[in-house]
Amino acid sequence: MLHSARTAGTSESPGPAAVKGEVRRERLLSRLTAAMDGPWTLTLVSAPAGSGKTRLLSQWAQGLRADPGIDLVWVSLERGEADLPLLRAALERIDDPGLQDALAAVPAVRSATTARAFARALREARNRIVLIVDDVHRVEDEHTAQLISTFVQSAPGTVHVVLSGRGTRAIPLARRRIAGVALELDARALAFTPAEIRAFFGARGLRLSQGEVSTVLARTEGWATGLQLMMLDAAGAQTVLGPTLRGDAPEVADYFVEEVLADLDGELRSFLEATAVVDRFTPELAAVLSGADSVTAMIDRLLRLNVLVGPDAEDPSRYHYPPLLREFLLGRLREGGAGREERLHRRAADWFAQQGQPLRALQHAVRGGETACTAGVLRRCGMQLVLDGRADTVRRMMAELPTALRAVPTVRMLVAAAELSCGDPSAAVIVPPVGAGESDADRRWRRGIEMHTALRRGGIAETLDGAGADLRDLSGEEQLDTYALLETATAELYVGRLDQAEATARRAGDLARAIGARAAELQAEAVLATSVLFRGRLRDAIEAGAALERRWHEFGEPDSPFFEVTRVWRFWGPYEGMQVLEEAETLESSAQVIAAGGETAIARGLQGMRVLLGAEQGGDPHDAAVRLLDTLTPRDDLPLPPHWYAMMGPFAVHAFDRLGEPTLRDRLIADIEDALGDTGDVLLLRAIAAVHDRRDGIARGALAPVLEGAIPCLLPASMIDAWLVEAELDVHDGEPDRAQLALATALALAEPEDHVRRVAEAGPIVSRLLAARATAGARTHFADRVRERLSAAGVLVEEELTQRERIVLSALSRNATLRQIAQQEYISPNTVKTHVRNIYRKLGVSDRDGVTAAAQALGLL
């Protein structure tokens, strides 16, 4: 098809006629005009069908018509007619005698020599010539492509050639590119800008907001035909932002077939539809989806036609379709019926699963429907994502399934695992056994879900005992085995079976590393670090936390509630050592991450720690005690390990006593006893409370089986507290040697892990014993370190009795009455009472019976 832009004495318009609502694209028109003033003679416009190439060149040609010094020639190639004689016929229509004589002298032979002569003949033109060759992608044979290339290479400086089409790869232009190309416009350059999009729809009566413009841009990538299709798809509505492009709409289908698919045969169209089910594809995946043998050739043809975008910078390279074209192709695919789209999605799911891309595999498995061939993909890839900390993604994707498919056992179990990992046990449905046909993998998966549910709701010990070997035997599916082992290790930790928890966590961690499940690996390591802490090895727990932090950085610092647990343990060691640290900030940030990760029970425990740290800083002691009870009391529906309560219990009991709330204190002890059972840690709590209440006999009765080893403690540090209570009781009994021996024993137990705070919590009598340095045990380097930290914290009792108080103390030890002391010292009875109160406070006693014994034990008499 030939269009003479302007012959002498005529006003014929070249190229397509203008259309209503056309947007002039001044930024591109100015670039085309500027290219004519450069030293090179070739402009290339290469972009997908419907990118607005022809419309842009038509606008430009309209402007060139006004220049009398330019002859404009427009040639639109047709399939089977693209040849050099077509260009010659177009140029022969220019009304220029000199040019026509030169052209007549060129023989009509299809050869390279003729092509060069044809180009040289254009030097005889009196005007400058602009030759626009549109649809150059329709050049089909290599010989014709070479002739056009030779013509372009030989074109004189008075001729500017514009080659436009879906692709110029068929025409060899490498040498010309080396020599220089005036301008090259591709799909990115032709894409409509936000301002042009607004102008496009504004010309059609639609005003778009900035957000709507952004949505259109994302959906079309600025593709001109995409904008037109959105208008067609809107069908007169006041918005163009429908959910998807309706591929079955007649006007849309006609437009697409005419503009995009016209040059594609049936095989290529089928390839387009098959590969449109994925957002990006490699040649290998394209072969799986399409079943075609010549995938590389098809991709090359689509690239030459600019229908396909790519390759990207990935390895292997991937290709994709413009978003709106893909929408249309998917619409045609669905229109075809017979489940073809679902089958393609299932093929894609299997392929992505084999490539180790669980998210993409799960996406396509969901769209393909749950069948025997995708159940394994759902199970493996879904659990891979859960174990990698993306349970919320799985939950959202499963919600896309039809209701009927959500009832399938595989889907139900995957949903349950995802919901539980997100901290929502109410939505997790425990899948019942399916009977004799249940596979080993499904049974193991179900057991893991049951264990996970128990960790959220309670009943952990019963579930562990009921599961037996099902939770430890391997099924061969690494994701399910990792999940079951991980929940088992956590459950064993939560019931205090530390040996089993550590062994199971190591197996789970090894599997998690093997499959690259980051969140699962962090959880397994957190179980190990927590078990080390519960064994009383604070230093090892700190080192384990530091090692895990290095791994966490390698993973890109993901939000992980279990990593945050180890961060808290790294705080707890220095806290027990009374070292300087920002405990409030550590607990607050960790509690937020842990709560966001669905670990509600652990987050509540951390809140309890925060309340404990600030219990005596508030204005209302009773309110502080109530909050302490609310956050530290064991709850069946929010289970925590028994060692946790053994670790926190002594600090909490001391806090209640300082707040003056013995009733709430006793309620906490009773609740901890219900949770821990008959352990030395519970007896210790009762002994601490009894000593504070001056019920020394009850305290000794509770403490005796602990010190004798008849009832062991869960927490090794509990024995430090036990010997500190024993030291205080010995002071009350007036047994200085036994008191110092008990203190020395407590210090010896505390030294390896730097348990300083427990000495500080024991109260003023223990502090005065420590200050007295009466035995070798109180004169060690560790004892000096304890005294230094207690003094820095204002805890150490170094306050000496005044001379008058010593006189009153001596009189009290002789059983003198207050009146007798007043008469003897020539002071008033009220002054004597003041001295007695000060003595009681400084000695840590509450009545006269304890004064003499305490004074003797502390070396004051």
Side-chain angles (χ1 to χ4, degrees):
M1 183 182 298
L2 309 180
H3 300 274
S4 174
R6 179 180 45 76
T7 56
T10 72
S11 59
E12 182 182 354
S13 297
V19 297
K20 182 180 180 181
E22 188 174 88
V23 176
R24 281 190 62 81
R25 311 184 70 187
E26 298 295 346
R27 64 183 178 88
L28 298 177
L29 295 172
S30 62
R31 292 179 66 185
L32 287 167
T33 300
M36 293 176 57
D37 297 329
W40 299 291
T41 60
L42 176 64
T43 288
L44 299 174
V45 182
S46 178
S51 294
K53 304 178 294 296
T54 301
R55 188 62 55 197
L56 172 68
L57 293 175
S58 177
Q59 292 177 359
W60 184 52
Q62 293 287 346
L64 295 179
R65 287 184 62 246
D67 190 336
I70 294 177
D71 284 317
L72 181 65
V73 177
W74 185 298
V75 180
S76 293
L77 302 183
E78 297 289 345
R79 184 181 298 275
E81 297 180 5
D83 208 343
L84 200 61
L86 195 64
L87 305 183
R88 178 170 181 160
L91 290 166
E92 287 175 346
R93 298 182 61 187
I94 297 176
D95 187 6
D96 183 338
L99 172 62
Q100 298 308 322
D101 290 344
L103 290 174
V106 177
V109 179
R110 296 180 72 250
S111 68
T113 301
T114 302
R116 282 190 287 271
F118 175 35
R120 286 194 294 270
L122 300 183
R123 297 174 182 172
E124 303 301 322
R126 65 172 180 264
N127 286 338
R128 189 173 188 179
I129 296 175
V130 175
L131 173 60
I132 299 176
V133 184
D134 199 11
D135 293 331
V136 294
H137 58 275
R138 288 175 174 165
V139 174
E140 295 180 333
D141 66 281
E142 185 176 347
H143 182 58
T144 299
Q146 187 62 54
L147 291 179
I148 294 177
S149 176
T150 301
F151 170 79
V152 170
Q153 301 275 6
S154 306
T158 56
V159 176
H160 193 85
V161 180
V162 179
L163 299 182
S164 174
R166 300 182 187 181
T168 59
R169 299 188 186 192
I171 300 176
L173 296 170
R175 291 176 58 190
R176 187 64 197 145
R177 288 178 187 275
I178 293 173
V181 174
L183 175 65
E184 190 164 358
L185 298 179
D186 58 11
R188 181 175 298 182
L190 288 169
F192 273 59
T193 65
E196 291 169 341
I197 289 173
R198 184 177 282 109
F200 177 89
F201 287 104
R204 289 156 177 79
L206 289 177
R207 296 177 60 86
L208 270 61
S209 67
Q210 185 62 43
E212 290 172 326
V213 169
S214 298
T215 301
V216 170
L217 186 60
R219 195 170 170 190
T220 63
E221 295 183 345
W223 185 34
T225 292
L227 303 180
Q228 184 63 36
L229 285 169
M230 291 188 80
M231 281 298 304
L232 288 174
D233 197 44
Q238 293 303 305
T239 178
V240 295
L241 302 181
T244 58
L245 188 66
R246 301 192 310 273
D248 57 346
E251 64 276 16
V252 173
D254 291 345
Y255 195 95
F256 245 121
V257 170
E258 180 180 348
E259 291 290 326
V260 181
L261 307 181
D263 293 317
L264 307 182
D265 56 31
E267 185 181 22
L268 269 182
R269 293 188 186 189
S270 177
F271 179 87
L272 283 171
E273 293 175 5
T275 51
V277 297
V278 293
D279 54 359
R280 294 177 184 272
F281 60 85
T282 64
E284 181 184 356
L285 176 56
V288 171
L289 293 172
S290 66
D293 296 328
S294 56
V295 167
T296 303
M298 288 187 174
I299 290 176
D300 187 60
R301 286 179 64 191
L302 292 174
L303 287 173
R304 282 192 284 110
L305 293 173
N306 264 307
V307 173
L308 193 61
V309 180
D312 59 17
E314 296 294 323
D315 185 20
S317 298
R318 300 177 303 173
Y319 304 86
H320 73 279
Y321 300 110
L324 213 62
L325 173 58
R326 182 170 177 244
E327 283 186 33
F328 170 75
L329 293 171
L330 289 174
R332 287 178 63 88
L333 192 60
R334 296 185 191 103
E335 184 184 353
R340 185 185 177 208
E341 182 184 10
E342 287 75 13
R343 289 194 298 274
L344 290 169
H345 278 301
R346 290 196 285 271
R347 288 183 194 174
D350 288 337
W351 189 84
F352 281 119
Q354 293 169 10
Q355 300 299 311
Q357 300 183 49
L359 180 58
R360 291 182 179 274
L362 190 62
Q363 288 171 337
H364 289 286
V366 167
R367 294 166 190 163
E370 207 278 349
T371 66
C373 63
T374 59
V377 173
L378 283 171
R379 184 169 61 229
R380 294 190 306 275
C381 296
M383 283 309 305
Q384 178 74 34
L385 293 170
V386 170
L387 295 169
D388 202 31
R390 291 184 282 178
D392 193 52
T393 299
V394 174
R395 183 168 58 173
R396 289 196 305 270
M397 292 174 63
M398 291 299 98
E400 298 177 12
L401 284 173
T403 303
L405 290 180
R406 288 202 296 270
V408 174
T410 300
V411 176
R412 290 175 65 188
M413 288 198 284
L414 181 55
V415 169
E419 296 285 4
L420 287 163
S421 296
C422 291
D424 184 6
S426 63
V429 179
I430 301 302
V431 180
V434 297
E438 185 179 34
S439 67
D440 290 342
D442 282 344
R443 182 175 64 256
R444 185 165 176 75
W445 195 11
R446 177 171 50 80
R447 289 296 196 185
I449 292 171
E450 290 172 353
M451 194 70 265
H452 203 166
T453 303
L455 285 165
R456 297 292 190 203
R457 292 178 172 173
I460 300 173
E462 295 82 358
T463 306
L464 270 174
D465 294 339
D470 282 345
L471 287 169
R472 295 180 182 84
D473 294 339
L474 299 183
S475 68
E477 289 200 15
E478 293 175 316
Q479 289 80 10
L480 303 188
D481 290 336
T482 302
Y483 175 66
L485 286 172
L486 196 59
E487 300 310 319
T488 302
T490 307
E492 289 166 341
L493 177 75
Y494 272 49
V495 296
R497 304 174 189 176
L498 300 186
D499 289 341
Q500 295 179 10
E502 290 177 358
T504 308
R506 289 191 183 94
R507 294 178 69 193
D510 290 343
L511 281 175
R513 278 185 288 275
I515 63 175
R518 300 175 300 172
E521 182 180 338
L522 293 175
Q523 183 177 348
E525 293 298 327
V527 169
L528 291 171
T530 303
S531 180
V532 167
L533 178 80
F534 289 165
R535 291 184 183 279
R537 307 199 318 257
L538 296 183
R539 301 178 195 276
D540 289 347
I542 293 172
E543 291 178 4
L548 188 55
E549 182 163 8
R550 290 191 291 271
R551 188 68 169 153
W552 177 68
H553 285 303
E554 292 175 7
F555 288 158
E557 303 182 5
D559 284 347
S560 168
F562 296 101
F563 166 71
E564 293 297 326
V565 168
T566 64
R567 193 194 294 272
V568 173
W569 297 159
R570 294 176 67 190
F571 141 76
W572 187 258
Y575 173 77
E576 287 236 27
M578 293 191 71
Q579 299 174 22
V580 177
L581 72 167
E582 296 294 334
E583 66 272 8
E585 180 180 345
T586 299
L587 289 176
E588 181 177 3
S589 60
S590 293
Q592 290 174 351
V593 175
I594 290 170
E599 299 302 320
T600 312
I602 300 175
R604 176 176 178 264
L606 294 191
Q607 294 295 348
M609 294 176 68
R610 292 182 63 196
V611 172
L612 180 60
L613 292 176
E616 298 166 67
Q617 299 174 4
D620 187 343
H622 178 71
D623 180 64
V626 169
R627 286 188 289 111
L628 198 58
L629 184 68
D630 287 344
T631 52
L632 290 182
T633 297
R635 283 176 49 176
D636 290 339
D637 60 331
L638 293 174
L640 284 173
H643 292 78
W644 165 274
Y645 297 108
M647 185 172 71
M648 300 299 299
F651 296 102
V653 169
H654 287 306
F656 278 115
D657 286 336
R658 289 192 295 269
L659 293 169
E661 293 288 346
T663 302
L664 297 182
R665 175 202 67 193
D666 292 343
R667 281 180 54 186
L668 176 68
I669 294 174
D671 290 339
I672 292 179
E673 184 173 17
D674 288 341
L676 271 61
D678 189 17
T679 67
D681 311 89
V682 173
L683 293 176
L684 170 65
L685 300 182
R686 294 204 174 279
I688 294 173
V691 168
H692 181 271
D693 296 344
R694 293 312 308 272
R695 296 182 295 172
D696 291 1
I698 294 176
R700 284 207 176 277
L703 201 60
V706 178
L707 296 178
E708 294 167 0
I711 300 180
C713 295
L714 292 172
L715 201 71
S718 293
M719 292 304 298
I720 301 172
D721 294 307
W723 282 107
L724 291 172
V725 173
E726 174 71 6
E728 185 170 357
L729 289 172
D730 289 339
V731 169
H732 292 172
D733 291 345
E735 297 286 349
D737 294 338
R738 286 175 52 188
Q740 287 291 342
L741 179 60
L743 175 62
T745 303
L747 292 174
L749 292 173
E751 181 175 7
E753 300 298 336
D754 207 31
H755 286 286
V756 176
R757 189 170 295 274
R758 292 178 183 269
V759 181
E761 292 279 319
I765 288 182
V766 170
S767 297
R768 188 172 286 280
L769 271 175
L770 183 67
R773 299 176 174 85
T775 65
R779 294 194 295 270
T780 63
H781 291 301
F782 177 68
D784 291 340
R785 187 159 71 244
V786 173
R787 278 187 287 270
E788 289 173 3
R789 293 183 189 170
L790 267 59
S791 295
V795 174
L796 189 62
V797 178
E798 293 281 12
E799 190 175 6
E800 297 293 335
L801 296 179
T802 65
Q803 182 62 33
R804 180 72 70 178
E805 287 167 352
R806 286 180 177 276
I807 294 171
V808 172
L809 173 61
S810 178
L812 289 174
S813 68
R814 297 192 302 271
N815 294 322
T817 66
L818 297 185
R819 183 177 295 278
Q820 289 171 337
I821 296 173
Q823 292 173 349
Q824 174 186 326
E825 297 299 320
Y826 301 104
I827 56 179
S828 70
N830 286 336
T831 301
V832 175
K833 290 179 182 179
T834 299
H835 290 318
V836 170
R837 283 196 297 270
N838 289 337
I839 292 168
Y840 286 177
R841 176 177 57 79
K842 293 178 181 181
L843 297 187
V845 298
S846 58
D847 54 39
R848 179 181 282 229
D849 293 339
V851 167
T852 301
Q856 291 174 347
L858 296 170
L860 299 176
L861 290 177

